[in-house]
């Protein structure tokens, strides 16, 4: 976040002013160096994150689950982009650094969960009822245990993520940390603070995605939003598991 992009009040409609100001924000007010650095890092971050999601989908071999996680990731990306533009419209700054910093934080959290070898990241997820054992009924706890165990158990074809992701970890880390350090030396301190906060934002979004895409979490906490799991049905308040031959 750098360079001022104040609104142009010399004629034109309000919509036109916002469009011009947004263009200034996304182009770093015409700075070719900043555009080259930031858009290069953003493109590489997005490619690595997309490769990560594709690898997870291949290992998990579950189209519904993969689509759910991809949609959640795209929604997170869209929200961060809107937050970036809205913040710069309010503060008259420019840049997309919050977006790639959030992607970096998202990948850091996802890759740390990936290191366990389970592609759906739920093995490291917190049990949603672990902190509320005293407030749930035995029936709710039993139903939760069945759903949670079924969802977090690795499928028969589970294998560790390919070693190519390690190259992505290293490449992404060097590029993002390097650019954060570059702006820490050349820009105001508030820029570095914003970068670090954006990394934390990406981590929080990754955790939120894991929670909202976990069928057992949704079905236990919000039964009316229950996400179906193959082989598990709920009837009259009880959980039924159908065995596959």
């Amino acid at each position: 976040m750098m360079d001022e992009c104040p609104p142009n009040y010399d004629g034109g409609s309000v919509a036109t002013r916002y469009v011009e100001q947004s263009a200034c924000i996304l182009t770093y007010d015409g700075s070719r160096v900043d555009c080259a650095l930031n858009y290069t890092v953003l493109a590489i971050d997005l490619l690595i994150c997309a490769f990560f999601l594709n690898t997870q989908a291949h290992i998990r071999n579950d189209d519904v689950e993969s689509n759910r996680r991809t949609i959640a990731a795209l929604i997170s990306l869209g929200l961060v982009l809107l937050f970036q533009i809205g913040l710069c419209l309010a503060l008259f700054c420019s840049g997309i650094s919050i977006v790639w910093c959030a992607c970096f934080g998202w990948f850091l959290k996802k890759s740390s969960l990936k290191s366990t070898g389970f592609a759906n990241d739920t093995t490291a997820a917190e049990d949603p009822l672990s902190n509320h054992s005293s407030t749930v009924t035995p029936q709710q706890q039993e139903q939760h245990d069945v759903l949670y165990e079924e969802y977090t158990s690795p499928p028969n074809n589970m294998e560790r993520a390919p070693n190519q992701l390690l190259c992505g970890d290293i490449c992404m880390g060097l590029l993002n940390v390097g650019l954060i350090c570059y702006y820490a030396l050349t820009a105001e301190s508030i820029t570095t603070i914003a970068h670090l906060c954006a990394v934390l934002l990406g981590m929080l979004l990754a955790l939120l995605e894991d929670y909202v895409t976990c069928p057992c979490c949704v079905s236990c906490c919000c039964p009316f939003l229950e996400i179906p799991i193959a082989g598990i049905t709920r009837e009259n308040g009880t959980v039924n598991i159908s065995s596959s031959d």
Side-chain angles (χ1 to χ4, degrees):
M1 298 197 334
M2 52 194 311
D3 297 327
E4 293 187 358
C5 285
N8 182 11
Y9 295 106
D10 297 335
S13 63
V14 175
T16 301
R17 291 201 300 266
Y18 277 122
V19 170
E20 292 177 351
Q21 191 177 355
S22 298
C24 176
I25 292 169
L26 296 177
T27 60
Y28 282 86
D29 196 19
S31 174
R32 294 183 178 180
V33 174
D34 289 319
C35 281
L37 289 174
N38 287 268
Y39 279 100
T40 298
V41 172
L42 176 61
I44 294 174
D45 285 359
L46 292 176
L47 286 174
I48 294 176
C49 290
F51 178 71
F52 176 83
L53 288 172
N54 182 69
T55 303
Q56 296 257 312
H58 175 73
I59 295 174
R60 192 57 175 164
N61 195 25
D62 185 341
D63 291 339
V64 175
E65 174 70 14
S66 301
N67 292 338
R68 187 184 301 135
R69 290 182 174 275
T70 300
I71 292 173
L74 291 175
I75 291 175
S76 296
L77 178 62
L79 291 176
V80 172
L81 180 59
L82 290 176
F83 175 73
Q84 169 80 84
I85 296 176
L87 182 65
C88 287
L89 286 174
L91 300 181
F92 307 142
C93 60
S94 65
I96 57 164
S97 56
I98 286 180
V99 181
W100 57 258
C101 282
C103 290
F104 181 45
W106 182 93
F107 184 78
L108 284 177
K109 191 61 183 176
K110 290 288 187 177
S111 61
S112 67
L113 295 175
K114 175 265 301 179
S115 64
T116 61
F118 294 96
N120 65 344
D121 294 347
T122 55
T123 54
E126 182 181 359
D127 187 332
L129 296 186
S130 59
N131 298 325
H132 307 281
S133 57
S134 60
T135 61
V136 298
T137 64
Q139 183 181 11
Q140 289 176 326
Q141 185 65 50
E142 182 180 359
Q143 294 173 359
H144 165 268
D145 291 342
V146 172
L147 288 169
Y148 196 76
E149 180 180 0
E150 174 69 15
Y151 184 67
T152 57
S153 297
N156 295 330
N157 64 344
M158 180 62 69
E159 58 186 31
R160 289 188 175 275
N163 293 330
Q164 292 92 326
L165 284 175
L166 179 60
C167 297
D169 294 350
I170 297 175
C171 178
M172 200 172 190
L174 290 175
L175 286 175
N176 286 266
V177 173
L179 195 53
I180 290 175
C181 292
Y182 168 77
Y183 281 119
L185 297 174
T186 60
E188 298 178 357
S189 58
I190 188 64
T191 301
T192 303
I193 295 175
H195 289 165
L196 297 178
C197 290
V199 173
L200 294 177
L201 174 63
M203 292 181 173
L204 291 176
L205 287 173
L207 286 174
L208 181 61
E209 288 177 23
D210 287 334
Y211 183 81
V212 299
T213 57
C214 173
C216 63
C217 300
V218 176
S219 61
C220 290
C221 299
C222 303
F224 55 90
L225 295 177
E226 181 177 345
I227 301 175
I229 307 178
I232 297 182
T233 58
R234 185 190 296 271
E235 183 178 358
N236 297 327
T238 61
V239 175
N240 301 316
I241 302 179
S242 58
S243 58
S244 56
D245 298 330

